[in-house]
Amino acid sequence: MSKQTIAEIKQELKELHDPDSPLLTELSEDPRKGVQNALKQWQRREKRHQKAVAAFHQRFKFENYYWEHGCRYVAGMDEVGRGPLAGPVVTCAVILDSSFDLIGVTDSKQLTRHERENLYLQIVNEAVDVSIAVNNSQEIDRLNIYAATQDAMMTSVRQLHHHPEHLIVDAVPLPELNIPQTTLIKGDQKSISVAAASIVAKEYRDHLMRDYDRVYPGYDFAENMGYGTKKHLAGLRQLGATPIHRRSFNPVPEYLK
């Protein structure tokens, strides 16, 4: 019987996460250099995977606590878009349960665009409930960015189909909501549901800004998402402000026509 090729072995190792698998013992005795290199690669990859799994379970710390204390529905909340010169602020509330198993879910800023896109669809599919709210640039100018963020967050909560018994909120307390809540600094790194909300909110807003890039070309919105990059500022100087620019954010008032 012919031996597996090195390519076949590498493919099999891609799906392996059991350190006690007989395959590993068998491969350790294979004298081929390519097999031994593949085995070393698996060991390094598995070490990273186990570290990611441990971090994933650690991000359930707050949810587990509230589930164990009788809260069936715990909503994690996050926002994206407080800093840009253009576009809306987007907030998201996500309710998960203990069966949630997307190990890659972490702070959206630590993920690539491709990773976020893939996780966005999976989160929406696996979550118990997801709610998104948007406040546009006019509302931001009317309320101020902090109040507009709070307002959108509260809308996210009110739109949920399941009434949450506890909120885990990233940095922005919501005192107007009569729901117990935990406010965390860098909550998207500490809470799995906040991390999921951060990914959904960012992907939703990024898609909006790519659409706006087609409506208002010349500002590079598809790449800068409304933040004040060199290309964005150059577009402002050349073309002036668009309807989605925030009039209350400097230097936008200089370019109103």
Side-chain angles (χ1 to χ4, degrees), residues 3-156:
K3 285 185 176 181
Q4 282 182 300
T5 66
I6 291 170
E8 288 171 338
I9 288 169
K10 285 182 177 180
Q11 187 60 39
E12 195 168 351
L13 286 173
K14 274 186 181 179
E15 308 300 323
L16 182 66
H17 293 295
D18 178 9
D20 299 318
S21 170
L23 175 63
L24 298 175
T25 303
E26 182 183 329
L27 294 179
S28 69
E29 296 169 355
D30 191 314
R32 289 176 290 175
K33 186 176 180 180
V35 173
Q36 294 309 308
N37 286 338
L39 193 55
K40 288 176 183 176
Q41 287 174 355
W42 176 86
Q43 289 166 342
R44 289 194 293 269
R45 191 167 62 245
E46 183 61 15
K47 187 175 181 179
R48 290 195 300 270
H49 174 75
Q50 292 303 328
K51 185 177 179 180
V53 169
F56 172 74
H57 290 302
Q58 178 62 25
R59 287 192 288 276
F60 272 95
K61 173 184 174 181
F62 292 96
E63 286 79 1
N64 281 330
Y65 177 84
Y66 296 117
W67 289 335
E68 289 166 5
H69 286 76
C71 296
R72 182 179 180 187
Y73 298 122
V74 178
M77 303 200 60
D78 204 359
E79 53 73 27
V80 64
R82 287 174 66 181
L85 305 180
V89 62
V90 175
T91 66
C92 181
V94 173
I95 296 176
L96 305 177
D97 62 23
S98 59
S99 68
F100 188 76
D101 61 357
L102 299 177
I103 291 171
V105 169
T106 185
D107 174 9
S108 63
K109 295 182 287 296
Q110 297 180 10
L111 301 170
T112 66
R113 177 171 162 179
H114 179 67
E115 288 170 334
R116 285 195 306 269
E117 285 178 343
N118 287 337
L119 286 168
Y120 172 89
L121 296 174
Q122 294 177 75
I123 291 166
V124 171
N125 186 51
E126 282 202 23
V128 173
D129 207 344
V130 176
S131 172
I132 296 168
V134 178
N135 264 341
N136 62 24
S137 56
Q138 289 77 26
E139 283 297 285
I140 291 168
D141 290 335
R142 184 178 72 85
L143 295 171
N144 78 51
I145 184 59
Y146 188 80
T149 301
Q150 282 185 312
D151 179 74
M153 282 186 157
M154 290 187 288
T155 300
S156 295

Side-chain angles (χ1 to χ4, degrees), residues 215-229:
V215 178
Y216 304 111
Y219 301 88
D220 200 34
F221 287 149
E223 295 301 320
N224 60 48
M225 303 306 163
Y227 284 88
T229 62

Side-chain angles (χ1 to χ4, degrees), residues 178-196:
N178 190 26
I179 303 172
Q181 52 195 271
T182 299
T183 304
L184 301 175
I185 302 301
K186 296 185 178 178
D188 43 10
Q189 298 176 22
K190 300 172 183 176
S191 158
I192 191 68
S193 54
V194 174

